[in-house]
Amino acid sequence: MDLEALIRQKKKIRAIGFDDSPFERHQQDKVNISGVVCANTRFEGMVWGAVEVDGHDATETICQLLIGKKFLPQLHLVLLDGIGFGGFNLVDLPLLAQRLDLPCVALMRKQPKLQKMKDAMSRLSNYEQRLVILQQAGEIYSFPPFFFQVCGERSEIIARALPQLTDRGKVPEALRLAHLIGAAVINGESGSSA
């Protein structure tokens, strides 16, 4: 059943939210990522992996955590905390949506400063490749309190789905839990904000 039908029929939406763990940019080669599965706002499971700091393997790592595994057939939506993991290890949003055959959404807490991102990325190898991935993620939609990019679904449908996945505030529960779990595993306790 597609996302629009689930919303219309008031059925549960199963989403996985991915976030990276805290890391020291110049002291680590890899950073952990957690993916938390929620049915609406109820925790149902998780996956755990690692990506290279400022690398190029974020899309592939997420695919490896899901393709052929138990959670993928249950999911309706993939949520990302932005498109950058471990710094500027950018997720190719259209490719991820195509490989998983699911809508993929990169959420932001506020409108990003794209020029600052481009300036920071310009100091890394493969700048042009990173820039293409950033541009392919598409338009940033504003449906307050949510700001997001999406591939694989219309923005209006995502804007209707996100409140159903959010317990309180402006962060869907799957992303909030992924953030808290990643911080707790690395730091021994979760942070005060998600």
Side-chain angles (χ1 to χ4, degrees), residues 38-113:
C38 286
N40 287 349
T41 60
R42 182 173 177 241
F43 177 86
E44 290 199 334
M46 72 175 285
V47 296
W48 185 259
V51 299
E52 297 170 6
V53 173
D54 293 328
H56 299 283
D57 64 344
T59 308
E60 185 57 35
T61 299
I62 292 171
C63 287
Q64 287 175 3
L65 290 171
L66 293 175
I67 294 173
K69 308 289 174 54
K70 71 177 187 176
F71 289 122
L72 185 59
Q74 304 168 23
L75 295 174
H76 304 112
L77 190 59
V78 176
L79 306 173
L80 308 173
D81 187 27
I83 65 165
F85 289 80
F88 287 105
N89 191 333
L90 302 182
V91 174
D92 186 329
L93 206 58
L95 179 61
L96 187 67
Q98 177 192 350
R99 290 199 50 201
L100 299 179
D101 195 26
L102 286 172
C104 293
V105 181
L107 281 111
M108 296 143 260
R109 284 164 184 74
K110 59 186 177 192
Q111 208 47 274
K113 295 178 171 60

Side-chain angles (χ1 to χ4, degrees), residues 134-176:
L134 184 65
Q135 291 167 340
Q136 286 177 342
E139 181 180 345
I140 297 169
Y141 297 98
S142 173
F143 289 87
F146 304 106
F147 298 93
F148 61 87
Q149 294 166 290
V150 60
C151 289
E153 185 54 89
R154 297 192 327 269
S155 59
E156 298 81 16
I157 301 301
I158 299 302
R160 288 173 54 202
L162 291 175
Q164 188 172 327
L165 302 170
T166 305
D167 185 32
R168 59 177 62 98
K170 53 187 176 181
V171 180
E173 193 68 1
L175 280 180
R176 191 181 81 81

Side-chain angles (χ1 to χ4, degrees), residues 28-39:
Q28 289 178 239
D29 295 328
K30 294 251 185 191
V31 60
N32 291 108
I33 62 169
S34 52
V36 170
V37 177
C38 286

